[in-house]
């Protein structure tokens, strides 16, 4: 059974950094998309970043470009989201998600991701 588990969330002041991790188990495919999504209070869930493997092709939405980095360590079966220069508007519950995909191009559409984590809170105070 595929499981995704996020860790690394918490509270930080504006301008600070956090690194989210997503441990993925039993996801035994060679070509896939992985993504980070977030949902702020009272807002719809939005895609933040995606990664296609093989190749580690990444995409970040404009609001986090230059501040966030998505990466993976396949030996540790872990997806990361390094978040720097955090802003209060980054406050949200963050989710990781995964789906098999044979071709490049990972759209950040939540409903298309078969496997999802439970989410983890990130709070950025001003």
């Amino acid at each position: 059974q595929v499981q995704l588990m996020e860790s690394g969330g918490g509270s930080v002041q504006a301008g600070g950094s956090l690194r989210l991790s997503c441990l993925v188990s039993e996801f035994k495919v060679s070509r896939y998309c992985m993504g980070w999504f977030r949902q702020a209070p009272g807002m719809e869930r939005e895609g933040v970043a995606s990664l296609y493997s093989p190749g580690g092709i990444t995409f970040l939405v404009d609001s986090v470009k230059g501040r966030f980095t998505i990466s993976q360590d396949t030996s540790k079966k872990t997806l990361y989201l390094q978040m720097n220069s955090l802003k209060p508007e980054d406050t949200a519950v963050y989710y990781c998600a995964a789906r098999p995909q044979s071709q490049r191009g990972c759209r950040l559409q939540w409903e298309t991701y078969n496997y999802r984590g439970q989410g983890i809170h990130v709070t950025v105070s001003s």
Side-chain angles (χ1 to χ4, degrees), residues 87-121:
K87 304 176 181 179
E89 51 263 44
D90 295 317
T91 295
V93 178
Y94 283 73
Y95 302 85
C96 63
R99 68 165 187 247
Q101 179 156 317
S102 60
Q103 297 181 341
R104 297 183 299 174
C106 299
R107 293 185 177 181
L108 286 168
Q109 294 175 315
W110 175 254
E111 62 273 13
T112 67
Y113 283 75
N114 310 66
Y115 308 105
R116 307 161 182 175
Q118 293 298 307
I120 193 163
H121 287 268

Side-chain angles (χ1 to χ4, degrees), residues 38-84:
R38 67 185 181 185
Q39 187 167 20
M43 304 291 285
E44 292 188 357
R45 187 178 286 112
E46 63 172 348
V48 175
S50 67
L51 181 147
Y52 179 76
S53 186
I57 301 167
T58 63
F59 171 80
L60 297 111
V61 297
D62 287 346
S63 60
V64 305
K65 278 182 181 176
R67 301 189 298 121
F68 291 12
T69 303
I70 184 173
S71 63
Q72 68 173 347
D73 184 332
T74 54
S75 67
K76 296 181 179 179
K77 299 180 182 180
T78 301
L79 179 74
Y80 300 103
L81 185 68
Q82 177 67 45
M83 305 186 294
N84 299 328

